[in-house]
Amino acid sequence: MALSILWLGLALLGALQTHAQDSTPNLIPAPPLLSVPVEPDFQNEQFQGKWYFLGLAGNGFNKEKHRRMKMYIANYELNEDNSYNVTSTVAWNQTCHPSTKIFLPNLRLGQFNLGNIERYTGIQNYTSKVVTTDYNQFAILYFKKVHDNQEYIKVVLYGRTKEVPSVPKAIFISFIKSLGLTDDHIIFPIPNDECMDK
């Protein structure tokens, strides 16, 4: 009897391990942070303000799964300590849902770490870098998040308007592919008017 219970326990343990391995996403590896470019001589005052999410890509994104994603906004408010309060406002079920994160300046200009990281269950590290920007028309940001020992990367194409300019779009796609991501990882959110004036 005890031996059959032991075998049953071992079988269940094996099934749980197999399920846990199957539920772990097969992610394209994140490059070393130092290999990701950063905007030289980043101007934090010029960067602040409202940005539209024109494009998103990442190793956790899938074009088919996220094809109905709507465009949303992020408002970067510069603080005296050169950190940003970043408020993203997303339309969901005809309601605007704002959320604010604090990004603290890193030792490297144009690079930031998520503040109050202990508030976010499972997140061990969250870094953002301004890869390139002209401040007036577009910006490309790189985000790297370590969540439950998994490294997730996200690249965002921001615009000051809802229009996707062709040159920044080409730079965005080229940068994404240099990270090993494919067209299947790229999403261009659907333009909409919900929550855009928040």
Side-chain angles (χ1 to χ4, degrees), residues 45-75:
E45 287 185 14
Q46 291 182 47
F47 188 78
Q48 67 182 333
K50 181 177 177 178
W51 291 98
Y52 293 90
F53 280 81
L54 302 179
L56 295 165
N59 60 357
F61 287 102
N62 177 286
K63 183 186 286 188
E64 185 60 31
K65 182 179 174 185
H66 296 98
R67 71 182 184 280
R68 295 181 187 256
M69 180 180 281
K70 290 184 179 179
M71 185 181 289
Y72 57 104
I73 60 168
N75 193 14

Side-chain angles (χ1 to χ4, degrees), residues 56-58 60-66 176-177 181-187:
L56 295 165
F61 287 102
N62 177 286
K63 183 186 286 188
E64 185 60 31
K65 182 179 174 185
H66 296 98
I176 288 163
K177 292 188 175 181
L181 300 172
T182 68
D183 289 335
D184 289 336
H185 297 105
I186 303 172
I187 299 144

Side-chain angles (χ1 to χ4, degrees), residues 86-160:
V86 182
T87 303
S88 298
T89 305
V90 179
W92 187 262
N93 292 333
Q94 284 95 33
T95 307
C96 298
H97 296 274
S99 68
T100 301
K101 291 182 172 82
I102 298 171
F103 282 93
L104 305 170
N106 192 297
L107 294 176
R108 192 163 181 202
L109 202 60
Q111 184 170 310
F112 300 87
N113 295 324
L114 179 64
N116 300 322
I117 198 164
E118 62 280 353
R119 287 181 40 198
Y120 304 94
T121 305
I123 296 183
Q124 296 146 297
N125 192 327
Y126 197 145
T127 303
S128 70
K129 288 179 110 171
V130 179
V131 174
T132 186
T133 184
D134 68 356
Y135 303 100
N136 299 317
Q137 188 180 17
F138 81 98
I140 296 174
L141 273 69
Y142 173 88
F143 296 84
K144 179 178 176 182
K145 173 176 76 172
V146 180
H147 183 269
D148 290 336
N149 298 319
Q150 288 284 327
E151 290 186 337
Y152 295 89
I153 57 174
K154 176 173 76 171
V155 181
V156 175
L157 172 61
Y158 282 140
R160 291 293 191 184

Side-chain angles (χ1 to χ4, degrees), residues 11-24:
L12 287 172
L13 181 60
L16 286 173
Q17 286 178 329
T18 302
H19 175 71
Q21 288 170 352
D22 290 343
S23 64
T24 302

